[in-house]
Amino acid sequence: MIKVLSYEQIAEQIDSGQKTVFLFTADWCGDCQYLYPLLPAIEAENTDYSFRQVDRDDFMDLAQKWDIFGIPSFVVFENGQEIGRFVDKNRKTKEEINAFLKGL
């Protein structure tokens, strides 16, 4: 998973046309810590997607603009358009994430 360091990286990825999963997290988030070890397997099982990790605290204005109030949360773009979101404050399992991505 590539960690986003700038707004330019986010814009470039959205404009790339690829199916991109933006995962909003924070280092202090216990549910995010639970999720981190699962991410390599999730990426391996969803090779149609490019994954980007966004630290919500570093990109708070974007999180607010995209209505990301709970983490971890997923927002998926393709061809410059949002095509899905799994956004809430609850812990997410590998199975729930894979089902969400397969349903898009």
Side-chain angles (χ1 to χ4, degrees):
M1 174 145 329
I2 297 171
K3 189 166 185 168
V4 171
L5 301 175
S6 71
Y7 287 99
E8 291 78 18
Q9 286 179 317
I10 294 169
E12 287 171 7
Q13 193 61 38
I14 290 172
D15 291 342
S16 74
Q18 293 179 312
K19 284 187 190 177
T20 302
V21 177
F22 291 98
L23 169 59
F24 284 80
T25 65
D27 289 339
W28 53 264
C29 166
D31 290 339
C32 300
Q33 298 297 324
Y34 166 83
L35 186 61
Y36 291 150
L38 306 175
L39 293 175
I42 291 168
E43 287 184 85
E45 293 172 27
N46 296 282
T47 57
D48 290 349
Y49 295 92
S50 178
F51 288 81
R52 299 293 186 270
Q53 182 179 351
V54 181
D55 187 308
R56 195 219 36 198
D57 293 342
D58 292 340
F59 294 89
M60 184 59 78
D61 53 339
L62 179 65
Q64 290 173 342
K65 180 178 177 183
W66 287 6
D67 295 323
I68 308 294
F69 296 110
I71 52 174
S73 286
F74 297 81
V75 180
V76 183
F77 279 81
E78 182 179 24
N79 296 320
Q81 299 293 318
E82 181 180 322
I83 62 169
R85 60 177 40 226
F86 189 7
V87 175
D88 60 33
K89 63 180 170 52
N90 298 318
R91 178 175 284 186
K92 293 154 184 72
T93 66
K94 178 182 166 197
E95 294 75 23
E96 289 172 328
I97 296 164
N98 281 334
F100 160 69
L101 293 173
K102 298 222 182 308
L104 296 177

XYZ file of all heavy atoms in Angstrom:
854
model
N 0.852 -1.175 0.000
C 0.000 0.000 0.000
C 0.892 1.231 0.000
O 1.839 1.311 0.771
C -0.915 -0.009 1.224
C -1.690 1.260 1.314
S -3.364 1.225 1.936
C -4.034 -0.314 1.509
N 0.582 2.158 -0.854
C 1.352 3.395 -0.965
C 0.725 4.445 -0.061
O -0.486 4.684 -0.122
C 1.381 3.877 -2.425
C 2.096 2.835 -3.285
C 2.035 5.246 -2.534
C 2.002 3.094 -4.765
N 1.546 5.047 0.768
C 1.067 6.102 1.657
C 1.100 7.435 0.910
O 2.117 7.820 0.342
C 1.923 6.179 2.917
C 1.344 7.100 3.951
C 1.984 6.917 5.307
C 1.249 7.782 6.299
N 1.571 7.490 7.660
N -0.018 8.133 0.909
C -0.142 9.420 0.232
C 0.554 10.490 1.065
O 0.358 10.567 2.277
C -1.626 9.781 0.043
C -1.778 11.196 -0.451
C -2.296 8.801 -0.899
N 1.372 11.313 0.388
C 2.103 12.370 1.078
C 1.681 13.770 0.667
O 2.079 14.735 1.302
C 3.605 12.197 0.836
C 4.200 10.855 1.294
C 5.643 10.754 0.898
C 4.013 10.667 2.791
N 0.865 13.868 -0.408
C 0.478 15.204 -0.873
C -0.884 15.148 -1.565
O -1.320 14.102 -2.043
C 1.525 15.749 -1.853
O 1.465 15.042 -3.081
N -1.504 16.320 -1.628
C -2.768 16.439 -2.360
C -2.556 16.179 -3.847
O -3.445 15.664 -4.520
C -3.383 17.826 -2.143
C -3.963 17.989 -0.766
C -3.256 18.642 0.235
C -5.215 17.484 -0.461
C -3.796 18.788 1.511
C -5.758 17.615 0.809
C -5.033 18.270 1.795
O -5.564 18.392 3.043
N -1.371 16.521 -4.340
C -1.059 16.287 -5.747
C -1.097 14.797 -6.063
O -1.593 14.394 -7.119
C 0.302 16.889 -6.117
C 0.323 18.399 -6.114
C 0.424 19.010 -4.709
O 0.806 18.310 -3.740
O 0.078 20.204 -4.582
N -0.575 13.970 -5.147
C -0.611 12.520 -5.359
C -2.049 12.009 -5.423
O -2.362 11.143 -6.244
C 0.132 11.790 -4.234
C 1.630 11.907 -4.306
C 2.295 11.192 -3.142
O 1.853 11.293 -2.001
N 3.357 10.462 -3.445
N -2.897 12.536 -4.580
C -4.304 12.126 -4.588
C -4.949 12.513 -5.914
O -5.611 11.699 -6.560
C -5.054 12.746 -3.397
C -4.513 12.162 -2.081
C -6.567 12.514 -3.522
C -4.983 12.878 -0.833
N -4.749 13.757 -6.341
C -5.334 14.231 -7.603
C -4.816 13.425 -8.788
O -5.597 13.039 -9.670
C -5.035 15.716 -7.787
N -3.518 13.159 -8.816
C -2.943 12.377 -9.913
C -3.543 10.980 -9.959
O -3.831 10.453 -11.039
C -1.423 12.291 -9.766
C -0.704 13.576 -10.092
C 0.777 13.527 -9.732
O 1.293 12.448 -9.345
O 1.429 14.583 -9.830
N -3.730 10.375 -8.793
C -4.278 9.024 -8.754
C -5.731 9.014 -9.201
O -6.141 8.134 -9.953
C -4.132 8.430 -7.353
C -4.375 6.946 -7.302
C -3.414 6.156 -8.161
O -2.235 6.469 -8.251
N -3.924 5.133 -8.823
N -6.504 9.999 -8.789
C -7.903 10.086 -9.227
C -7.960 10.273 -10.735
O -8.771 9.648 -11.424
C -8.632 11.228 -8.492
C -8.830 10.844 -7.015
C -9.976 11.546 -9.154
C -9.356 11.968 -6.148
N -7.076 11.115 -11.270
C -7.061 11.395 -12.708
C -6.458 10.270 -13.542
O -6.566 10.284 -14.769
C -6.300 12.692 -12.990
C -7.039 13.926 -12.489
O -8.267 13.834 -12.245
O -6.391 14.978 -12.313
N -5.821 9.285 -12.899
C -5.146 8.206 -13.630
C -6.125 7.281 -14.339
O -5.737 6.564 -15.260
C -4.290 7.378 -12.669
O -5.113 6.546 -11.848
N -7.384 7.265 -13.914
C -8.367 6.372 -14.513
C -8.402 5.004 -13.870
O -9.322 4.232 -14.109
N -7.399 4.676 -13.069
C -7.351 3.371 -12.403
C -8.422 3.269 -11.326
O -8.829 4.276 -10.747
C -5.997 3.163 -11.719
C -4.818 3.047 -12.630
C -3.537 2.866 -11.820
O -3.293 3.599 -10.868
N -2.737 1.904 -12.210
N -8.835 2.042 -11.047
C -9.665 1.808 -9.864
C -8.748 1.981 -8.668
O -7.775 1.242 -8.508
C -10.216 0.390 -9.853
C -11.346 0.137 -10.785
C -11.872 -1.272 -10.521
C -12.847 -1.703 -11.569
N -13.280 -3.089 -11.345
N -9.035 2.978 -7.860
C -8.166 3.303 -6.731
C -8.956 3.303 -5.442
O -10.011 3.937 -5.336
C -7.502 4.676 -6.919
O -6.754 4.659 -8.138
C -6.566 4.992 -5.765
N -8.422 2.592 -4.456
C -8.994 2.547 -3.117
C -8.196 3.500 -2.243
O -6.986 3.327 -2.073
C -8.918 1.126 -2.526
C -9.454 1.116 -1.096
C -9.652 0.128 -3.398
N -8.858 4.522 -1.726
C -8.247 5.420 -0.748
C -8.692 4.951 0.629
O -9.888 4.965 0.938
C -8.670 6.873 -0.995
C -8.107 7.449 -2.257
C -8.865 7.495 -3.413
C -6.810 7.936 -2.294
C -8.352 8.019 -4.589
C -6.285 8.469 -3.464
C -7.057 8.507 -4.610
N -7.730 4.520 1.425
C -8.001 4.043 2.780
C -7.604 5.134 3.760
O -6.431 5.484 3.870
C -7.205 2.761 3.068
C -7.167 2.289 4.519
C -8.565 2.033 5.058
C -6.291 1.060 4.638
N -8.589 5.689 4.445
C -8.342 6.729 5.443
C -8.092 6.060 6.795
O -8.914 5.250 7.257
C -9.530 7.683 5.533
C -9.604 8.640 4.393
C -10.130 8.254 3.174
C -9.131 9.942 4.527
C -10.200 9.135 2.106
C -9.190 10.841 3.470
C -9.722 10.428 2.258
N -6.952 6.408 7.404
C -6.541 5.827 8.677
C -5.927 6.915 9.554
O -5.803 8.065 9.132
C -5.494 4.725 8.470
O -4.300 5.306 7.927
C -5.995 3.616 7.560
N -5.500 6.517 10.740
C -4.704 7.365 11.624
C -3.905 6.436 12.538
O -4.395 5.359 12.914
C -5.577 8.303 12.449
N -2.696 6.841 12.881
C -1.839 5.983 13.687
C -2.403 5.703 15.075
O -2.129 4.663 15.657
C -0.437 6.587 13.805
C 0.331 6.502 12.498
O -0.020 5.671 11.641
O 1.297 7.279 12.337
N -3.194 6.600 15.610
C -3.756 6.421 16.951
C -5.003 5.538 16.959
O -5.510 5.173 18.010
C -4.103 7.778 17.566
C -4.980 8.620 16.684
C -4.565 9.602 15.825
C -6.401 8.519 16.524
N -5.653 10.126 15.151
C -6.791 9.479 15.571
C -7.384 7.728 17.108
C -8.110 9.656 15.172
C -8.701 7.905 16.706
C -9.049 8.865 15.745
N -5.504 5.187 15.804
C -6.765 4.458 15.644
C -6.558 2.958 15.878
O -5.866 2.291 15.106
C -7.312 4.723 14.242
S -8.635 3.634 13.706
N -7.175 2.429 16.924
C -7.056 1.012 17.237
C -7.598 0.104 16.154
O -7.005 -0.935 15.843
N -8.733 0.471 15.555
C -9.299 -0.343 14.484
C -8.413 -0.320 13.242
O -8.358 -1.299 12.496
C -10.713 0.119 14.144
C -11.705 -0.202 15.259
O -11.410 -1.106 16.078
O -12.763 0.444 15.313
N -7.699 0.780 13.025
C -6.746 0.853 11.914
C -5.565 -0.070 12.185
O -5.099 -0.782 11.284
C -6.259 2.285 11.718
S -7.580 3.460 11.346
N -5.079 -0.073 13.421
C -3.966 -0.959 13.797
C -4.356 -2.418 13.577
O -3.554 -3.224 13.112
C -3.557 -0.732 15.255
C -3.042 0.658 15.558
C -1.781 1.006 14.808
O -0.936 0.157 14.588
N -1.660 2.256 14.398
N -5.591 -2.770 13.884
C -6.111 -4.115 13.655
C -6.074 -4.447 12.158
O -5.763 -5.575 11.766
C -7.544 -4.214 14.187
C -8.295 -5.433 13.729
C -8.138 -6.655 14.373
C -9.173 -5.363 12.641
C -8.828 -7.782 13.942
C -9.857 -6.485 12.214
C -9.681 -7.690 12.863
O -10.363 -8.797 12.429
N -6.365 -3.465 11.326
C -6.492 -3.663 9.883
C -5.139 -3.768 9.171
O -5.011 -4.496 8.185
C -7.310 -2.509 9.293
C -7.685 -2.567 7.829
C -8.551 -3.791 7.555
C -8.428 -1.305 7.452
N -4.126 -3.056 9.659
C -2.841 -2.987 8.957
C -2.271 -4.352 8.571
O -1.849 -4.530 7.422
C -1.807 -2.190 9.758
C -2.096 -0.708 9.868
C -1.678 0.012 10.971
C -2.785 -0.018 8.887
C -1.937 1.370 11.095
C -3.053 1.343 8.997
C -2.619 2.027 10.104
O -2.881 3.368 10.217
N -2.228 -5.354 9.454
C -1.658 -6.652 9.052
C -2.472 -7.384 7.980
O -1.951 -8.259 7.300
C -1.641 -7.468 10.347
C -1.855 -6.516 11.452
C -2.546 -5.316 10.880
N -3.739 -7.021 7.819
C -4.608 -7.661 6.830
C -4.453 -7.072 5.429
O -4.857 -7.686 4.445
C -6.072 -7.533 7.259
C -6.436 -8.031 8.662
C -7.891 -7.715 8.965
C -6.141 -9.507 8.799
N -3.885 -5.884 5.344
C -3.852 -5.161 4.066
C -3.092 -5.880 2.957
O -3.563 -5.889 1.813
C -3.314 -3.747 4.280
C -4.237 -2.842 5.102
C -3.561 -1.503 5.370
C -5.575 -2.656 4.421
N -1.924 -6.497 3.206
C -1.259 -7.201 2.100
C -2.136 -8.288 1.471
O -2.178 -8.417 0.245
C -0.005 -7.786 2.754
C 0.283 -6.859 3.897
C -1.082 -6.472 4.409
N -2.852 -9.047 2.279
C -3.734 -10.087 1.741
C -4.905 -9.472 0.984
O -5.303 -9.977 -0.077
C -4.228 -10.990 2.864
N -5.450 -8.388 1.503
C -6.571 -7.714 0.822
C -6.110 -7.203 -0.545
O -6.797 -7.379 -1.546
C -7.129 -6.578 1.697
C -7.830 -7.166 2.929
C -8.083 -5.689 0.897
C -8.177 -6.159 4.003
N -4.930 -6.598 -0.591
C -4.393 -6.127 -1.870
C -4.159 -7.288 -2.831
O -4.474 -7.185 -4.018
C -3.092 -5.363 -1.649
C -3.298 -3.997 -1.046
C -1.991 -3.237 -0.928
O -1.595 -2.605 -1.925
O -1.372 -3.285 0.155
N -3.611 -8.383 -2.333
C -3.318 -9.547 -3.178
C -4.589 -10.164 -3.753
O -4.572 -10.715 -4.853
C -2.531 -10.585 -2.381
N -5.687 -10.068 -3.017
C -6.951 -10.647 -3.469
C -7.769 -9.689 -4.331
O -8.813 -10.074 -4.862
C -7.775 -11.085 -2.254
C -7.133 -12.241 -1.504
C -7.828 -12.574 -0.197
O -9.049 -12.306 -0.078
O -7.152 -13.094 0.706
N -7.309 -8.452 -4.482
C -8.038 -7.440 -5.249
C -7.077 -6.707 -6.180
O -6.896 -5.494 -6.088
C -8.734 -6.464 -4.287
C -9.789 -7.147 -3.453
O -10.886 -7.404 -3.933
N -9.458 -7.476 -2.210
N -6.492 -7.454 -7.096
C -5.439 -6.908 -7.954
C -5.947 -5.920 -8.999
O -5.145 -5.262 -9.652
C -4.673 -8.047 -8.650
O -5.603 -8.852 -9.395
C -3.944 -8.917 -7.628
N -7.260 -5.797 -9.158
C -7.819 -4.816 -10.094
C -7.725 -3.398 -9.543
O -7.997 -2.442 -10.269
C -9.286 -5.118 -10.394
C -9.461 -6.367 -11.230
O -8.468 -6.887 -11.753
O -10.610 -6.833 -11.356
N -7.376 -3.282 -8.273
C -7.364 -1.987 -7.592
C -5.948 -1.553 -7.253
O -5.086 -2.364 -6.947
C -8.160 -2.059 -6.282
C -9.623 -2.313 -6.480
C -10.127 -3.614 -6.476
C -10.513 -1.263 -6.662
C -11.480 -3.856 -6.644
C -11.867 -1.496 -6.835
C -12.337 -2.796 -6.829
O -13.680 -3.030 -7.002
N -5.755 -0.249 -7.261
C -4.550 0.379 -6.730
C -4.936 0.923 -5.355
O -5.987 1.547 -5.208
C -4.116 1.510 -7.655
O -2.996 2.154 -7.137
N -4.113 0.671 -4.352
C -4.440 1.056 -2.980
C -3.569 2.221 -2.527
O -2.350 2.213 -2.743
C -4.240 -0.125 -2.031
C -5.283 -1.198 -2.187
C -5.195 -2.138 -3.209
C -6.354 -1.270 -1.322
C -6.153 -3.128 -3.352
C -7.330 -2.256 -1.460
C -7.218 -3.189 -2.481
N -4.201 3.195 -1.872
C -3.504 4.355 -1.317
C -3.977 4.588 0.111
O -5.181 4.625 0.369
C -3.770 5.627 -2.137
C -3.318 5.553 -3.591
C -1.810 5.483 -3.690
N -1.315 5.550 -5.046
C -1.112 4.505 -5.839
N -1.399 3.303 -5.421
N -0.623 4.663 -7.049
N -3.037 4.743 1.014
C -3.361 5.028 2.412
C -3.262 6.523 2.646
O -2.277 7.160 2.298
C -2.387 4.297 3.337
C -2.692 4.494 4.801
C -1.718 3.734 5.690
O -0.928 2.931 5.228
N -1.790 4.001 6.971
N -4.310 7.083 3.251
C -4.392 8.512 3.519
C -4.522 8.703 5.031
O -5.488 8.222 5.628
C -5.608 9.153 2.807
C -5.657 10.649 3.075
C -5.586 8.857 1.316
N -3.560 9.390 5.641
C -3.655 9.694 7.063
C -4.688 10.795 7.241
O -4.495 11.922 6.796
C -2.298 10.125 7.612
C -2.307 10.297 9.116
O -3.193 11.012 9.638
O -1.425 9.731 9.774
N -5.792 10.441 7.878
C -6.888 11.391 8.013
C -6.463 12.675 8.715
O -6.912 13.758 8.373
C -8.052 10.745 8.768
C -9.308 11.555 8.614
C -10.193 11.697 9.765
N -9.548 11.796 11.048
C -10.180 11.591 12.178
N -11.429 11.224 12.170
N -9.567 11.730 13.328
N -5.576 12.561 9.693
C -5.145 13.744 10.440
C -4.307 14.686 9.577
O -4.345 15.895 9.768
C -4.370 13.338 11.689
C -5.256 12.618 12.699
O -6.498 12.735 12.608
O -4.704 11.926 13.569
N -3.565 14.142 8.616
C -2.756 14.969 7.714
C -3.589 15.592 6.597
O -3.170 16.578 5.982
C -1.624 14.148 7.091
C -0.579 13.727 8.103
O -0.493 14.349 9.188
O 0.158 12.765 7.818
N -4.746 15.009 6.321
C -5.607 15.462 5.226
C -7.032 15.698 5.742
O -8.013 15.257 5.148
C -5.610 14.425 4.093
C -4.283 14.274 3.413
C -3.349 13.363 3.878
C -3.952 15.069 2.329
C -2.114 13.224 3.261
C -2.715 14.938 1.704
C -1.797 14.017 2.180
N -7.125 16.390 6.874
C -8.413 16.583 7.549
C -9.422 17.326 6.670
O -10.602 16.977 6.647
C -8.230 17.323 8.875
C -9.514 17.467 9.666
S -10.304 15.897 10.096
C -9.273 15.402 11.456
N -8.976 18.339 5.926
C -9.936 19.070 5.091
C -10.492 18.184 3.980
O -11.670 18.264 3.646
C -9.343 20.372 4.551
C -8.029 20.193 3.829
O -7.344 19.182 4.049
O -7.674 21.078 3.029
N -9.669 17.295 3.424
C -10.157 16.352 2.420
C -11.119 15.358 3.056
O -12.174 15.059 2.484
C -8.995 15.605 1.766
C -9.391 14.568 0.724
C -10.059 15.238 -0.473
C -8.186 13.755 0.299
N -10.789 14.870 4.242
C -11.682 13.946 4.949
C -13.036 14.601 5.191
O -14.084 13.956 5.011
C -11.043 13.497 6.257
N -13.043 15.859 5.578
C -14.311 16.555 5.793
C -15.065 16.736 4.471
O -16.275 16.526 4.406
C -14.065 17.897 6.468
C -13.620 17.745 7.902
C -13.209 19.058 8.541
O -12.929 20.044 7.865
N -13.151 19.063 9.862
N -14.347 17.103 3.424
C -14.978 17.297 2.113
C -15.606 15.997 1.611
O -16.676 16.007 1.006
C -13.929 17.802 1.113
C -14.464 18.045 -0.276
C -13.385 18.577 -1.183
C -13.920 18.759 -2.593
N -12.884 19.207 -3.518
N -14.938 14.876 1.878
C -15.427 13.577 1.433
C -16.314 12.897 2.481
O -16.676 11.735 2.324
C -14.259 12.663 1.084
C -13.550 13.008 -0.191
C -13.750 14.079 -1.005
C -12.501 12.248 -0.798
N -12.892 14.045 -2.076
C -12.112 12.922 -1.976
C -11.844 11.074 -0.464
C -11.110 12.455 -2.813
C -10.842 10.614 -1.295
C -10.477 11.290 -2.461
N -16.664 13.605 3.555
C -17.517 13.068 4.618
C -16.943 11.812 5.266
O -17.647 10.829 5.496
C -18.940 12.791 4.107
C -19.659 14.058 3.697
O -19.470 15.097 4.371
O -20.389 14.022 2.695
N -15.652 11.862 5.567
C -14.980 10.776 6.277
C -14.902 11.180 7.743
O -14.016 11.918 8.142
C -13.547 10.540 5.734
C -13.532 10.376 4.227
C -12.892 9.374 6.458
C -14.217 9.154 3.709
N -15.835 10.698 8.539
C -15.862 11.062 9.952
C -15.485 9.893 10.846
O -15.211 10.077 12.021
C -17.228 11.632 10.326
C -17.511 12.916 9.604
C -18.470 12.970 8.623
C -16.777 14.066 9.877
C -18.722 14.147 7.929
C -17.022 15.244 9.196
C -17.999 15.281 8.222
N -15.479 8.693 10.317
C -15.037 7.520 11.051
C -13.928 6.839 10.283
O -13.876 6.900 9.054
N -13.017 6.223 11.014
C -11.922 5.504 10.369
C -11.759 4.147 11.032
O -12.130 4.001 12.203
C -10.600 6.308 10.411
C -10.284 6.759 11.829
C -10.630 7.463 9.454
C -8.947 7.424 11.984
N -11.246 3.166 10.308
C -10.804 3.220 8.921
C -11.989 3.296 7.957
O -13.043 2.731 8.221
C -10.043 1.901 8.742
C -10.647 0.975 9.738
C -11.066 1.829 10.892
N -11.794 3.984 6.862
C -12.830 4.127 5.841
C -12.216 4.037 4.454
O -11.075 4.438 4.247
C -13.558 5.458 5.994
O -14.416 5.413 7.118
N -13.009 3.521 3.524
C -12.565 3.305 2.151
C -13.424 4.126 1.199
O -14.646 4.107 1.296
C -12.734 1.825 1.770
C -11.905 0.883 2.583
C -12.312 0.478 3.840
C -10.715 0.393 2.082
C -11.559 -0.403 4.589
C -9.951 -0.486 2.825
C -10.366 -0.886 4.087
N -12.759 4.813 0.256
C -13.442 5.508 -0.831
C -12.759 5.061 -2.117
O -11.527 5.101 -2.220
C -13.368 7.044 -0.685
C -14.087 7.720 -1.838
C -13.966 7.493 0.648
N -13.559 4.629 -3.090
C -13.014 4.064 -4.321
C -13.383 4.950 -5.507
O -14.542 5.335 -5.671
C -13.535 2.630 -4.555
C -12.897 2.026 -5.793
C -13.283 1.755 -3.327
N -12.370 5.252 -6.332
C -12.546 6.055 -7.541
C -12.145 5.241 -8.767
O -11.254 4.392 -8.693
C -11.651 7.303 -7.502
C -12.213 8.435 -6.690
C -12.086 8.448 -5.312
C -12.863 9.493 -7.302
C -12.585 9.483 -4.551
C -13.375 10.536 -6.552
C -13.240 10.534 -5.182
N -12.808 5.547 -9.871
C -12.407 5.019 -11.175
C -12.771 6.062 -12.218
O -13.865 6.632 -12.180
C -13.115 3.699 -11.478
C -12.689 3.098 -12.804
C -13.368 1.770 -13.103
O -14.469 1.508 -12.563
O -12.803 1.001 -13.887
N -11.851 6.330 -13.129
C -12.075 7.317 -14.186
C -12.528 8.664 -13.631
O -13.416 9.313 -14.179
C -13.078 6.797 -15.216
C -12.568 5.577 -15.943
O -11.392 5.497 -16.282
N -13.429 4.610 -16.157
N -11.930 9.067 -12.514
C -12.207 10.375 -11.942
C -13.497 10.490 -11.154
O -13.832 11.567 -10.676
N -14.232 9.384 -11.010
C -15.529 9.402 -10.315
C -15.510 8.438 -9.135
O -14.966 7.339 -9.232
C -16.649 8.984 -11.268
C -16.816 9.879 -12.471
C -17.301 11.257 -12.095
O -18.177 11.413 -11.265
N -16.712 12.274 -12.710
N -16.155 8.846 -8.052
C -16.319 7.920 -6.936
C -17.291 6.825 -7.353
O -18.378 7.102 -7.852
C -16.865 8.656 -5.712
C -17.022 7.753 -4.515
C -17.560 8.436 -3.281
O -17.187 9.607 -3.020
O -18.360 7.800 -2.575
N -16.889 5.566 -7.134
C -17.748 4.439 -7.494
C -18.213 3.644 -6.274
O -19.040 2.741 -6.406
C -17.073 3.499 -8.512
C -15.799 2.885 -7.944
C -16.817 4.227 -9.828
C -15.236 1.748 -8.783
N -17.671 3.965 -5.100
C -18.120 3.259 -3.911
C -17.443 3.777 -2.665
O -16.390 4.408 -2.731
N -18.085 3.508 -1.530
C -17.494 3.889 -0.248
C -17.953 2.925 0.830
O -19.060 2.438 0.820
C -17.795 5.331 0.124
C -19.232 5.695 0.260
C -19.484 7.142 0.721
N -18.602 8.106 0.133
C -17.978 9.078 0.803
N -18.195 9.238 2.081
N -17.166 9.916 0.194
N -17.037 2.664 1.732
C -17.285 1.846 2.921
C -16.798 2.720 4.062
O -15.649 2.662 4.467
C -16.502 0.544 2.808
C -16.806 -0.501 3.846
C -17.834 -0.369 4.755
C -16.047 -1.650 3.889
C -18.094 -1.352 5.692
C -16.292 -2.639 4.818
C -17.317 -2.500 5.721
N -17.670 3.610 4.505
C -17.301 4.685 5.421
C -18.174 4.609 6.671
O -19.383 4.797 6.594
C -17.468 6.065 4.743
C -17.207 7.194 5.724
C -16.562 6.185 3.535
N -17.536 4.290 7.772
C -18.179 4.346 9.078
C -17.092 4.217 10.140
O -15.915 4.114 9.811
C -19.274 3.279 9.234
C -18.752 1.864 9.084
O -17.599 1.573 9.467
O -19.510 1.020 8.584
N -17.491 4.217 11.386
C -16.507 4.189 12.467
C -16.233 2.782 12.983
O -15.444 2.605 13.895
C -16.964 5.079 13.615
C -18.255 4.643 14.260
C -18.613 5.584 15.379
C -19.962 5.413 15.946
N -20.481 4.230 16.391
N -16.840 1.779 12.388
C -16.735 0.418 12.898
C -15.487 -0.300 12.391
O -14.987 -0.006 11.306
C -17.979 -0.385 12.495
C -19.228 0.204 13.081
O -19.255 0.605 14.236
N -20.277 0.276 12.278
N -15.022 -1.259 13.199
C -13.929 -2.137 12.777
C -14.407 -2.934 11.573
O -15.536 -3.391 11.534
C -13.541 -3.068 13.919
C -12.438 -4.041 13.522
C -11.971 -4.864 14.687
N -11.129 -4.011 15.525
C -10.457 -4.428 16.577
N -10.533 -5.689 16.956
N -9.717 -3.602 17.274
N -13.522 -3.085 10.597
C -13.874 -3.804 9.388
C -13.035 -5.078 9.297
O -11.848 -5.059 9.571
C -13.646 -2.916 8.164
C -14.614 -1.747 8.136
C -14.064 -0.567 7.383
C -14.970 0.620 7.444
N -15.016 1.263 8.746
N -13.657 -6.156 8.874
C -12.942 -7.413 8.719
C -12.445 -7.552 7.287
O -12.945 -6.881 6.368
C -13.838 -8.611 9.051
O -14.881 -8.690 8.064
C -14.434 -8.497 10.454
N -11.498 -8.446 7.109
C -10.993 -8.735 5.765
C -12.139 -9.185 4.866
O -12.236 -8.761 3.709
C -9.918 -9.815 5.866
C -9.352 -10.247 4.552
C -8.335 -11.362 4.754
C -8.045 -12.007 3.439
N -7.412 -13.305 3.567
N -13.026 -10.022 5.384
C -14.147 -10.530 4.600
C -15.093 -9.403 4.185
O -15.558 -9.377 3.037
C -14.907 -11.602 5.392
C -14.107 -12.875 5.642
C -13.026 -12.740 6.728
O -13.133 -11.841 7.589
O -12.062 -13.521 6.696
N -15.372 -8.477 5.074
C -16.253 -7.349 4.749
C -15.625 -6.463 3.673
O -16.315 -6.015 2.751
C -16.526 -6.504 5.994
C -17.421 -7.170 7.009
C -17.521 -6.382 8.302
O -16.547 -5.716 8.704
O -18.601 -6.445 8.917
N -14.330 -6.215 3.785
C -13.637 -5.368 2.802
C -13.624 -6.042 1.437
O -13.920 -5.418 0.415
C -12.219 -5.029 3.292
C -12.302 -4.195 4.571
C -11.427 -4.304 2.200
C -11.007 -4.128 5.352
N -13.283 -7.328 1.404
C -13.260 -8.044 0.134
C -14.654 -8.079 -0.490
O -14.788 -7.889 -1.701
C -12.718 -9.454 0.321
C -11.211 -9.484 0.415
O -10.519 -8.607 -0.113
N -10.677 -10.492 1.087
N -15.696 -8.289 0.308
C -17.061 -8.309 -0.218
C -17.437 -6.939 -0.783
O -18.058 -6.851 -1.858
C -18.041 -8.733 0.865
N -17.058 -5.873 -0.086
C -17.319 -4.513 -0.567
C -16.657 -4.296 -1.926
O -17.302 -3.832 -2.880
C -16.811 -3.488 0.458
C -16.582 -2.119 -0.093
C -17.638 -1.334 -0.499
C -15.299 -1.623 -0.225
C -17.428 -0.063 -1.028
C -15.070 -0.363 -0.748
C -16.145 0.425 -1.147
N -15.375 -4.643 -2.040
C -14.642 -4.416 -3.288
C -15.181 -5.287 -4.420
O -15.295 -4.826 -5.556
C -13.151 -4.670 -3.081
C -12.455 -3.667 -2.149
C -11.018 -4.099 -1.871
C -12.503 -2.265 -2.711
N -15.528 -6.512 -4.130
C -16.071 -7.394 -5.179
C -17.439 -6.923 -5.647
O -17.834 -7.190 -6.782
C -16.128 -8.826 -4.660
C -14.747 -9.368 -4.309
C -14.529 -10.759 -4.729
C -13.177 -11.309 -4.328
N -12.030 -10.564 -4.669
N -18.168 -6.201 -4.790
C -19.497 -5.713 -5.144
C -19.501 -4.470 -5.999
O -20.558 -4.038 -6.465
N -18.343 -3.871 -6.216
C -18.283 -2.641 -7.021
C -18.279 -2.940 -8.506
O -17.806 -3.938 -8.959
C -17.034 -1.822 -6.657
C -16.992 -1.292 -5.237
C -15.685 -0.572 -4.990
C -18.151 -0.359 -4.974
